[in-house]
Amino acid sequence: MQKISLGFLVLGGLIAPFAALFMLPAKAGAPVLVVSTPWASAASLIAKAHGDIIGPWSAPLALLAYSSDPDFIENLHQAGAFAVLNGETLARLCGIS
């Protein structure tokens, strides 16, 4: 039992810093991570919200997107996005500037 508890503690310590990257609020005029539902296409949601895909090109449920439109985040939610998360750090990690 103690080994299992220690395992969860170590796993949580490894995952927490990465999870914190996505907990920042999405900002207009900055890259965002658009998460879609399995029955919707993230690319079509971004197109409906008048944004551009900036990467990655082969992710099934989430894409990085950008738009200079100040209402872009709200438009994504109205188009049906499951979540719109801050994508600035992820974009930098992917080499997108």
Side-chain angles (χ1 to χ4, degrees), residues 7-38:
F8 281 120
L9 183 63
V10 170
L11 183 62
L14 293 172
I15 293 174
F18 293 103
L21 294 175
F22 300 107
M23 300 314 288
L24 299 170
K27 295 188 300 188
V32 294
L33 182 66
V34 180
V35 182
S36 67
T37 57

Side-chain angles (χ1 to χ4, degrees), residues 1 12 30 34-35 40-41 43 53 64-65 69 73 77 79-81 83:
M1 184 68 171
V34 180
V35 182
S41 160
I53 297 171
L64 284 168
D69 182 352
I73 295 168
H77 286 294

